Amino acid sequence: MTKNDKLSPYALDASKLTLRYGDHVVFQNASFHVHQQEIVSITGPNGSGKTTLINAILGEKAIDSGTLEVLGKKPGDANAVLGYVSQNYTENNSEVISVIDMVTLGVNGNRYGLHFTNASEKADAMLALKRVNAVNLAHKRMSTLSGGQRQRVQIAQAIASKPKMLILDEPFANLDIKSTVEIGALLKTIHAKYNITIIIVAHIMEHLRNLVTSQIHIENEVAAYFEDAELMGTHKVQNVEGGGK
């Protein structure tokens, strides 16, 4: 193992990080250190910059100043071991695709286009469906699924490649209470069984208090990081290390 291959204890390691969206400052001078195998929420009101931070983590948005490492690497360099569930992802895909074919896209790395699959890839896709208790959906069309079922399929696709980190953008949006509870329980089970870091983007902490172990809250150009369960959701930004305007 070379020095560059040495594993970092942190899933996200930010130091004096500043992000901008155009001329607008999203947040500045923020430092936070999220350990691997945590479940962390990224919260904030609409337009606060949650998506900008996710894009920075994925290497799709340049860092304006400071540093950010993802699993010990530069943003983008760790994407091969990241699973990502975007909001309303299936709306951008053909509704006639079968569930098993949708999940197989996560196995072979062709999430945005189909190709001929082999038996091994299909087996890995079925294993991913088994992990989210959705084997019975394998041969159904995406267009026939409920919101909760679609979310299970998207999570199966994201974990099919056995990632070290799972990022979910608004996974509870447009779900009824029953599906919300079920998806929350599923994520908790995935975390416990497979010891992966999970990042959940959400507007508020509702439905997350019994799930997450830490919180990054973005508001008023500040990114506040909380590890204390009693402080999560309070948005007491003065507690952030290196945060502030």
Side-chain angles (χ1 to χ4, degrees), residues 61-131:
K61 166 44 176 107
I63 303 302
D64 291 285
S65 66
T67 62
L68 174 64
E69 289 189 349
V70 181
L71 298 172
K73 298 182 179 181
K74 293 192 302 182
D77 288 356
N79 283 7
V81 292
L82 302 186
Y84 178 52
V85 178
S86 64
Q87 188 175 4
N88 300 322
Y89 172 68
T90 54
E91 292 182 1
N92 298 320
N93 289 273
S94 172
E95 290 290 324
V96 300
I97 189 173
S98 70
V99 166
I100 187 64
D101 284 339
M102 176 67 80
V103 177
T104 303
L105 298 182
V107 176
N108 58 42
N110 292 276
R111 291 188 60 189
Y112 302 102
L114 292 169
H115 81 157
F116 290 107
T117 57
N118 57 44
S120 176
E121 290 172 340
K122 290 286 188 182
D124 286 344
M126 287 298 291
L127 178 59
L129 284 171
K130 182 178 180 180
R131 287 173 173 171

Side-chain angles (χ1 to χ4, degrees), residues 21 33 52 93 121 125 128 140 188 207 221 245:
Y21 184 80
H33 315 287
T52 301
N93 289 273
E121 290 172 340
K140 292 183 178 293
K188 202 164 189 175
H207 309 305
E221 300 181 11
K245 294 185 177 183

